Amino acid sequence: MSTPQIIPPGSTIGILGGGQLGRMTALAAARLGYRCLVYAPDEHSIAGDVAAGYVRGDYDDTDALARFARRVDVITYEFENVPEAAVVACLEHKPVRPGVTPIHVAQHRLREKQFFATLGIGTADYQPVRNEAELAAATALPGILKTCREGYDGKGQARVHDRASLEAAWERLGRRECILEALVDFRCEVSAIVARGLDGAMRCFPIGLNDHRDGILHTTTVPADLAAETLAMAERFGLALAQGLDLVGLVALEMFVTQDGTVLANEMAPRPHNSGHWTIDACATSQFEQLVRAICGLPLGPVDVTAPSRMENLIGEEATD
Ligand code: AMP
């Protein structure tokens, strides 16, 4: 790929994935003067509804991906489980921002934890559980056994209290590659959403205080009523991650705040994040506009809070009740 290009307004952004985050990205892009072309396997896409065009194709259909890539100027993805091969196929034709490394890291919990460690980002104690020997050697109890791949929002994981429940849970999870994470006695959960531009400039949105129900984000409150040092540590981790990934785009880092105010990273997502929806109404720049700015090489926007806010995450029918 030649030197990083600026993608001027009037250009077309390709979005891999057809869900709500793609939809909100396409709306923000339109306001900045960009067209979006959405690529997803589904017959109907809510992102496609608000985009200039929709390409229906499977993520392993390299011909369809190539046709899609030729019609756009830059490509992003709206979910971190987009197959790596699909991103690689797109990269042969057009820049993909944030690129392959962020999904390579985010799609595998063990790799993600190891990556955090290289950047000095603390995590809960953990051990890999990929075979009988590692199962026998795992000590992080009580803990949560999580599959390395395809787990999110509490799926693909089980709380375990002792060796017997650990062994039973590993069987139930299909003896897949897992990690055992020590249970964190956290005071609260927070997230940092960081944008990094084509020029390496970074902006961290104000830290969100998150409340989860049944493993799913329920509310996000900003400003977070936490000690300045705790907020600074969360921001520092977010910035270190964006820098470490050499990211062009957005990355969200979900973290625990322990009883003594220490911050421990849980997981990352290199895309807009549900805990950042408050930025649409209560921040000088929304996370979606910031993503478009970053991947198109525009200057990043300011991230000042314009009003205190509390976002409630409505899922499925809750939105119409
Ligand atoms: P995850 O699927 O890793 O995002 O986890 C979903 C939610 O489960 C988190 O937001 C926490 O509320 C909880 N959780 C995950 N890992 C741990 C842990 N090691 N200790 C305590 N709670 C956890």
Side-chain angles (χ1 to χ4, degrees):
M1 192 61 51
S2 51
T3 45
Q5 327 97 291
I6 290 175
I7 313 291
S11 308
T12 303
I13 299 169
I15 302 176
L16 292 168
Q20 52 140 344
L21 299 174
R23 180 183 174 96
M24 295 184 214
T25 302
L27 291 169
R31 271 192 296 275
L32 291 179
Y34 293 92
R35 275 187 297 272
C36 286
L37 187 62
V38 172
Y39 185 101
D42 318 280
E43 189 174 340
H44 175 237
S45 146
I46 58 166
D49 284 348
V50 302
Y54 178 54
V55 177
R56 185 182 175 192
D58 290 328
Y59 292 117
D60 60 2
D61 185 343
T62 40
D63 291 339
L65 284 165
R67 283 197 300 277
F68 158 78
R70 278 191 216 105
R71 290 172 59 191
V72 304
D73 300 292
V74 64
I75 297 169
T76 192
Y77 40 78
E78 60 115 43
F79 71 116
E80 66 278 20
N81 283 323
V82 58
E84 205 173 309
V87 173
V88 172
C90 288
L91 259 175
E92 283 179 22
H93 305 276
K94 293 291 159 58
V96 180
R97 298 173 183 159
V100 180
T101 306
I103 54 165
H104 182 74
V105 173
Q107 285 177 2
H108 194 278
R109 285 191 192 269
L110 181 58
R111 217 182 271 151
E112 186 179 54
K113 289 267 194 298
Q114 290 165 340
F115 191 74
F116 290 157
T118 65
L119 300 173
I121 297 173
T123 63
D125 288 340
Y126 69 92
Q127 287 106 30
V129 176
R130 295 167 293 191
N131 50 46
E132 299 270 356
E134 287 181 345
L135 179 71
T139 55
L141 291 164
I144 306 189
L145 186 68
K146 302 181 178 182
T147 55
C148 285
R149 294 177 186 279
E150 286 159 10
Y152 61 93
D153 284 351
K155 295 187 180 70
Q157 51 183 262
R159 289 200 174 211
V160 291
H161 316 284
D162 50 24
R163 297 221 63 82
S165 57
L166 169 61
E167 284 166 18
W170 194 53
E171 288 294 335
R172 251 196 335 276
L173 292 173
R175 299 176 143 248
R176 275 184 288 164
E177 271 195 319
C178 289
I179 62 168
L180 176 64
E181 250 181 66
L183 203 59
V184 178
D185 176 23
F186 57 80
R187 195 197 309 164
C188 61
E189 295 183 72
V190 295
S191 53
I193 301 174
V194 176
R196 186 164 178 274
L198 208 48
D199 59 357
M202 293 196 284
R203 287 265 164 87
C204 181
F205 285 99
I207 301 299
L209 177 63
N210 300 331
D211 176 39
H212 289 78
R213 275 195 196 161
D214 302 325
I216 299 175
L217 182 69
H218 181 53
T219 63
T220 298
T221 305
V222 177
D225 185 16
L226 292 170
E229 308 84 71
T230 302
L231 295 173
M233 191 185 290
E235 178 166 330
R236 192 150 40 75
F237 283 178
L239 292 168
L241 178 60
Q243 178 90 44
L245 289 167
D246 196 21
L247 181 98
V248 177
L250 277 194
V251 66
L253 180 60
E254 293 188 83
M255 294 163 275
F256 304 117
V257 178
T258 63
Q259 300 297 343
D260 67 5
T262 304
V263 178
L264 300 174
N266 178 26
E267 61 181 357
M268 60 169 260
R271 53 162 170 81
H273 196 252
N274 285 350
S275 69
H277 287 335
W278 67 272
T279 59
I280 296 173
D281 296 309
C283 191
T285 308
S286 82
Q287 63 168 343
F288 303 99
E289 175 174 339
Q290 201 74 303
L291 171 64
V292 173
R293 287 178 164 277
I295 64 173
C296 291
L298 306 183
L300 299 179
V303 290
D304 308 270
V305 174
T306 54
S309 69
R310 179 174 175 276
M311 186 257 347
E312 191 168 335
N313 193 20
L314 301 176
I315 295 176
E317 287 172 6
E318 286 172 358
T320 45
D321 282 350

